[in-house]
Amino acid sequence: MYLVGFYSPKAKSGVTELSLVIYNWLKLNTNLTVAFISYGTLEKEKISDELIHEFSNLTITEQKRNMKKMKKQYDIIIYDASSQLSDGVLKLLPIVDRLFVVGEEHADFAEKLHQIIEFNKIFDKSVKSFITHLQGNKTFIIRESKGEHVMGFNPSKKDTNDIGQMVYTDYVTYFLEQTFIKINEKLFYKIKSIPKEELFHGLYELGIDFEVALIFNKYISLREAIGQNYDEALENLFPLLINTSFSDLVNRFQKELDIIVSFKLDS
């Protein structure tokens, strides 16, 4: 269900060691089903159904197919993406649900990588704007222990526990988000099926508060008045309907209306 990537652009940075430690921590400290995938070759671990390595030998299409299949079988999959900066790794990273970049000095790199991942999602037609709106940032920076001046990541027991807890907590959050998203996908589908001229009444019948349904209907009409397509306006404003209080929704509508009125007066 949940795919976690561990990565560093620096060679021999200890990503494999760290990701294996977290994999074992999750198996020991939670009741979740956990799997491990390594892009490179592991020297000591044997290949099994839940522990796979030499992933780099597969084509990108095969890698994505295998990962999607495993996401249906396991609660958490740890993906050790350490292999220096390679084209294969960068093509696969956008499908992870959460990315951990190892090393505080790579904060700028992690930010750029996150931008690439988000840019990739723009062109994925299955990723709707309201889903993207709910999910937020997906990149964390893992900092090496203070006082350690060595190449590589040498996780202490405390580091392991902190990072393991972080992954577990993020999994729980992700699970709740996905459940929330599925509920709202169904709601959005029902709203889209309401005839345009009956939007206000349809929203009210779906259980939306009278005042919220009324202002949302007016907001859609405002967007249409400035030339936006009805379906596009529904998709763009849907996050406000489910995430914004009535007063905030009114304020946003009023500010947008004021800008339009001001623009027309100036012109």
Side-chain angles (χ1 to χ4, degrees):
M1 174 192 174
Y2 176 67
L3 178 60
V4 182
F6 284 88
Y7 183 70
S8 172
K10 182 174 65 177
K12 298 180 180 179
S13 57
V15 177
T16 297
E17 177 190 2
L18 173 63
S19 53
L20 275 170
V21 166
I22 299 304
Y23 161 70
N24 287 312
W25 185 95
L26 289 166
K27 290 186 66 178
L28 183 65
N29 293 279
T30 73
N31 59 357
L32 301 173
T33 55
V34 188
F36 185 91
I37 296 174
S38 177
Y39 192 77
T41 303
L42 302 179
E43 297 178 358
K44 297 179 181 179
E45 285 71 20
K46 293 182 180 180
I47 294 177
S48 66
D49 289 340
E50 72 171 43
L51 199 153
I52 299 173
H53 52 99
E54 298 181 343
F55 215 54
S56 56
N57 293 340
L58 303 177
T59 66
I60 295 296
T61 301
E62 290 172 330
Q63 290 173 7
K64 289 184 177 181
R65 186 186 302 122
N66 283 0
M67 280 195 168
K68 288 178 181 178
K69 181 181 178 181
M70 291 182 73
K71 281 186 72 173
K72 295 178 181 179
Q73 298 175 314
Y74 298 94
D75 296 318
I76 298 179
I77 301 169
I78 301 296
Y79 171 44
D80 164 28
S82 56
S83 67
Q84 300 185 42
L85 195 60
S86 67
D87 183 56
V89 167
L90 290 178
K91 284 182 179 178
L92 200 60
L93 286 181
I95 74 169
V96 302
D97 298 306
R98 182 69 68 181
L99 178 64
F100 290 83
V101 177
V102 178
E104 187 172 4
E105 72 275 22
H106 301 311
D108 290 339
F109 170 82
E111 183 178 345
K112 292 290 186 297
L113 194 57
H114 174 64
Q115 291 171 356
I116 291 170
I117 291 171
E118 292 303 304
F119 183 76
N120 174 275
K121 287 168 65 178
I122 292 173
F123 296 98
D124 183 350
K125 293 182 180 179
S126 66
V127 181
K128 299 297 183 182
S129 62
F130 69 92
I131 294 178
T132 304
H133 174 83
L134 291 172
Q135 288 180 328
N137 196 310
K138 63 186 295 183
T139 307
F140 288 151
I141 310 296
I142 294 180
R143 293 166 172 79
E144 298 190 36
S145 299
K146 293 181 179 179
E148 299 271 355
H149 299 288
V150 295
M151 289 292 289
F153 196 103
N154 296 280
S156 67
K157 189 173 183 180
K158 181 179 183 301
D159 292 329
T160 300
N161 186 65
D162 288 347
I163 297 168
Q165 290 285 359
M166 190 187 300
V167 172
Y168 178 71
T169 301
D170 198 55
Y171 160 79
V172 173
T173 304
Y174 178 82
F175 178 82
L176 292 174
E177 283 182 348
Q178 290 303 304
T179 303
F180 184 55
I181 287 169
K182 287 177 182 177
I183 292 171
N184 285 301
E185 280 181 325
K186 292 178 181 178
L187 176 60
F188 184 66
Y189 178 79
K190 290 179 180 178
I191 291 174
K192 284 189 69 175
S193 66
I194 298 171
K196 175 180 170 181
E197 61 278 4
E198 298 176 14
L199 179 61
F200 164 67
H201 296 289
L203 289 172
Y204 185 64
E205 288 176 0
L206 285 175
I208 307 297
D209 288 344
F210 178 88
E211 296 86 354
V212 175
L214 182 63
I215 195 66
F216 185 77
N217 186 72
K218 287 182 177 293
Y219 212 153
I220 295 292
S221 298
L222 177 65
R223 286 292 180 89
E224 281 192 289
I226 62 174
Q228 190 171 30
N229 175 273
Y230 175 76
D231 288 337
E232 186 180 347
L234 269 182
E235 187 172 313
N236 289 344
L237 295 177
F238 180 73
L240 297 181
L241 179 66
I242 60 173
N243 284 327
T244 309
S245 66
F246 172 69
S247 59
D248 286 342
L249 188 61
V250 171
N251 288 336
R252 283 173 175 265
F253 171 77
Q254 189 62 53
K255 286 179 182 178
E256 199 162 314
L257 180 61
D258 291 344
I259 291 171
I260 294 169
V261 171
S262 176
F263 178 78
K264 286 188 174 181
L265 289 176
D266 292 340
S267 59

